[in-house]
Amino acid sequence: EVQLVESGGGLVQPGRSLRLSCTASEFTFGDYAMSWVRQAPGKGLEWVGFIRSKAYGGTTEYAASVKGRFTISRDDSKSIAYLQMNNLKTEDTAVYYCNGGADAETYWGQGTLVTVSS
Amino acid sequence: QSVLTQPPSASGTPGQWVIISCSGGSLNIGSDYVYWYQQLPGTAPRLLIYKNNQRPLGVPDRFSGSKSGTSASLAISGLRSEDEADYYCAAWDASLSAWVFGGGTKLTVL
């Protein structure tokens, strides 16, 4: 069974950094783009960004709200995608989900909560 | 303000047919595929429809998607209590170079 497991969430002060991980199992990780999507408390889904597979250059795209502060990377040897979040703001408080795959074979993690507060 | 527009709520009684709309523009829905997600309370989103009208394995055929121009719809037939959830549409936006979501529709089964 395919599993994506996010980790690294927690409470952090504004202006600080945090790195989230998304570990995949039973999944041909290297073949697929990996995305991050977040959901603020009581709000809808917001796309954060994604990283393409190495076959497509491993390049990244980001939402305007996080561009320049967040960085997505991947380690295909470990089947892990990362979300490095710098200069965090209170409005970044959300559950962060990773997802990967394509079309019918798309999988989501259970999410990890990031709370930005002083 | 979401790039894709969905009604905030919808409702129906068991066995009914419900349609949820998603309106966008020429550079998102009008030029690329639409995806639909179901989010049950307290859980992660689940892919319901991909590429406008395709269902992943395990999604009941009570769920169907369609697209016309810059709008898309999710139809649910034979409504069941377990369909009570939030539903989101999504598409790639070529002008933003970003995935965009609708604001979500909360479906209540009366």
Side-chain angles (χ1 to χ4, degrees):
Chain A
E1 181 192 355
V2 173
Q3 273 199 311
L4 299 180
V5 179
E6 300 92 340
S7 59
L11 174 64
V12 61
Q13 293 178 326
R16 303 299 291 265
S17 299
L18 202 62
R19 188 177 80 161
L20 305 183
S21 299
C22 171
T23 304
S25 58
E26 304 300 325
F27 181 59
T28 48
F29 184 85
D31 288 352
Y32 297 112
M34 296 297 296
S35 299
W36 289 91
V37 174
R38 68 184 180 183
Q39 186 169 35
K43 302 295 185 182
L45 301 175
E46 180 189 14
W47 175 75
V48 172
F50 73 81
I51 184 166
R52 296 177 176 86
S53 67
K54 289 290 195 295
Y56 287 89
T59 52
T60 52
E61 303 286 351
Y62 299 97
S65 57
V66 306
K67 205 167 189 176
R69 298 188 300 123
F70 289 12
T71 302
I72 299 173
S73 59
R74 62 190 299 155
D75 185 337
D76 290 354
S77 68
K78 296 180 179 178
S79 296
I80 301 177
Y82 300 100
L83 177 63
Q84 176 68 43
M85 304 184 292
N86 298 331
N87 188 22
L88 282 159
K89 305 176 180 181
T90 55
E91 53 263 40
D92 294 320
T93 293
V95 174
Y96 284 74
Y97 297 100
C98 69
N99 73 73
D103 298 331
E105 304 297 321
T106 300
Y107 306 96
W108 289 67
Q110 84 291 347
T112 186
L113 175 63
V114 173
T115 303
V116 184
S117 175
S118 53
Chain B
Q1 193 85 356
S2 303
V3 174
L4 304 183
T5 301
Q6 296 179 237
S9 64
S11 63
T13 56
Q16 265 191 330
W17 177 290
V18 168
I19 295 178
I20 297 172
S21 63
C22 175
S23 177
S26 59
L27 294 177
N28 42 66
I29 292 179
S31 58
D32 215 320
Y33 294 115
V34 177
Y35 296 74
W36 289 92
Y37 298 90
Q38 177 193 60
Q39 187 176 33
L40 298 170
T43 70
R46 165 201 182 195
L47 178 66
L48 210 56
I49 297 289
Y50 67 98
K51 287 186 174 179
N52 302 334
N53 55 19
Q54 302 299 301
R55 277 187 310 276
L57 282 175
V59 173
D61 58 7
R62 300 187 296 105
F63 294 89
S64 61
S66 64
K67 186 183 103 167
S68 178
T70 59
S71 293
S73 295
L74 173 71
I76 310 172
S77 63
L79 204 58
R80 304 174 70 160
S81 58
E82 58 259 40
D83 298 333
E84 194 160 279
D86 293 324
Y87 293 84
Y88 295 90
C89 59
W92 177 257
D93 189 292
S95 65
L96 299 173
S97 291
W99 281 95
V100 291
F101 284 94
T105 298
K106 184 176 185 61
L107 175 64
T108 300
V109 181
L110 302 169

